[in-house]
Amino acid sequence: MFGNMGNMAGMMKKVQKLQADMSKMQEELKTRTLEATAGGGAVKVVMNGEKQIVSLKIAPTAVDPEDVEMLEDLVSAAVNEALKKVDDMMAQEMGKLTGGMNLPPGMF
């Protein structure tokens, strides 16, 4: 009977360590940046781990007053690609900590 209590205490310590490690990793990832481009580099977005745009560059050749829609599409594509890269980076780093366990979002 007391053996189960010891196992539970050990498991709780592991969970607490995992939570601490995840918090530390999330703080570290906030400072990382990822770059995404669209239109062959006509639009470049740099985003941090908090999904904030750090910089947005638009090549002068991508600015055509007659085709604003194309530029809007390129910006949207670059931002969406940057968001995907941040999500992928976060999932990859979390997987390293959790040993590949698929934990539900918000668990930690």
Side-chain angles (χ1 to χ4, degrees):
M1 180 170 166
F2 290 113
N4 286 339
M5 294 295 275
N7 288 342
M8 187 65 128
M11 185 180 292
M12 288 304 293
K13 279 190 172 198
K14 287 181 182 179
V15 168
Q16 288 172 341
K17 181 179 179 340
L18 180 60
Q19 285 177 323
D21 290 347
M22 288 179 129
S23 291
K24 181 181 176 189
M25 189 253 333
Q26 286 173 330
E27 286 302 312
E28 290 172 5
L29 291 179
K30 287 179 181 180
T31 63
R32 285 194 196 173
T33 58
L34 296 164
E35 180 180 303
T37 62
V43 174
K44 179 173 89 169
V45 172
V46 176
M47 186 174 286
N48 66 20
E50 291 186 288
K51 297 184 179 180
Q52 296 171 334
I53 296 174
V54 176
S55 72
L56 172 65
K57 302 288 184 194
I58 300 172
T61 56
V63 181
D64 179 357
E66 300 296 318
D67 194 4
V68 173
E69 222 176 274
M70 180 193 70
L71 180 56
E72 293 169 344
D73 290 344
L74 291 174
V75 171
S76 293
V79 169
N80 287 333
E81 181 62 22
L83 288 167
K84 182 183 179 316
K85 285 183 175 187
V86 170
D87 286 342
D88 291 348
M89 175 187 67
M90 294 294 253
Q92 182 179 18
E93 294 299 319
M94 286 291 187
K96 289 178 186 176
L97 288 179
T98 63
M101 287 187 300
N102 289 325
L103 300 176
M107 177 135 177
F108 289 100

